[in-house]
Amino acid sequence: MAKALIQLAIDSLDVNASLSLAAAAAPYVDIFEIGTPCIKHNGIALVKEMKRRFPNKLLLVDLKTMDAGEYEATPFYAAGADICTVLGVSGLATIGGVIKAAKKYNAEVQVDLINVPDKIACARASAQAGAQIIGVHTGLDAQAAGQSPFADMQTVARLGLPMRLSVAGGIKQSTVQDVVRAGATIVVVGAAIYGAPSPAAAASEIRQLVDAA
Ligand SMILES: O=C([C@H](O)CO)[C@H](O)[C@H](O)COP(=O)(O)O
């Protein structure tokens, strides 16, 4: 079985801090995520700069698109995004629009199940529409309210859909192996790396744990 990929979520608003974090973690991660607050603050220029500095990494832009799927996502794919996210709650018309934009650039789409009431139906419909990745995600505010992605992750993994399963929401050293063993093929880690005293050391530790899972 292929090893799970590690995605570093970059949630800083500061461009220099974001680029420094990416450089420190680069040896240990597979995907750089420009997080939603970061992309809203810094825009397409940061997508271009990340692609220029890290041409061999996959680049996910966490747009969390809610409407105007094709129109909103197209310039981000054109700027170098390998994956853009669209919200499952946006509905199939918007998801389909992002898929159409991705196809033009030979890129991929992740449907984020954040706050989707019927996650099973949305995951199945997203697979059928042609999305390559389904994201089980407990956002930062829901985490602060005590929620975690682990139960939903197991439910979605059991569906055995023909798409990669990305899991996000407070994943750290003590939980990352359980996430991989439950079937995640992309493990998203933000605060456990960027909030660590040494982000490089934390990323290295996560890499070892994922590869040993
Ligand atoms: O997507 C995220 C959040 O909704 C803000 O946009 C985070 O990047 C994601 O939750 C991963 O970060 P951690 O939960 O800190 O690992």
Side-chain angles (χ1 to χ4, degrees):
M1 200 172 65
K3 294 233 185 282
L5 301 180
I6 299 172
Q7 177 174 314
L8 169 65
I10 300 171
D11 280 328
S12 171
L13 300 184
D14 184 89
V15 169
N16 290 329
S18 297
L19 293 171
S20 300
L21 172 67
Y28 313 108
V29 306
D30 307 289
I31 305 173
F32 286 134
E33 168 193 332
I34 305 179
T36 312
C38 185
I39 196 63
K40 286 191 176 180
H41 199 71
N42 297 301
I44 284 192
L46 183 58
V47 177
K48 291 182 178 162
E49 185 60 16
M50 287 286 290
K51 206 62 195 175
R52 190 184 72 75
R53 291 196 189 204
F54 306 102
N56 299 323
K57 296 288 177 197
L58 290 170
L59 185 59
L60 179 144
V61 181
D62 195 10
L63 292 177
K64 293 191 177 81
T65 293
M66 184 61 181
D67 189 18
E70 183 181 4
Y71 188 54
E72 179 167 287
T74 294
F76 290 91
Y77 287 121
D82 298 294
I83 305 162
C84 287
T85 65
V86 55
L87 292 174
V89 292
S90 70
L92 280 176
T94 301
I95 292 170
V98 180
I99 291 171
K100 197 170 166 198
K103 276 189 183 147
K104 277 189 248 157
Y105 292 92
N106 204 19
E108 296 192 333
V109 177
Q110 175 173 321
V111 177
D112 187 330
L113 293 175
I114 191 168
N115 292 341
V116 169
D118 187 344
K119 292 181 173 51
I120 293 176
C122 183
R124 285 194 172 127
S126 300
Q128 197 162 18
Q132 294 85 359
I133 307 167
I134 193 75
V136 173
H137 180 196
T138 301
L140 298 175
D141 294 338
Q143 286 179 49
Q147 295 173 32
S148 81
F150 305 120
D152 288 336
M153 163 187 83
Q154 282 165 345
T155 303
V156 175
R158 274 196 291 268
L159 299 176
L161 295 169
M163 59 202 317
R164 279 173 282 148
L165 172 59
S166 166
V167 180
I171 296 172
K172 51 190 179 215
Q173 285 86 338
S174 59
T175 52
V176 73
Q177 290 194 316
D178 289 340
V179 172
V180 174
R181 288 179 192 135
T185 50
I186 301 174
V187 182
V188 184
V189 185
I193 293 177
Y194 64 68
S198 165
S204 167
E205 197 182 349
I206 299 267
R207 174 91 265 163
Q208 288 170 42
L209 288 164
V210 166
D211 289 352

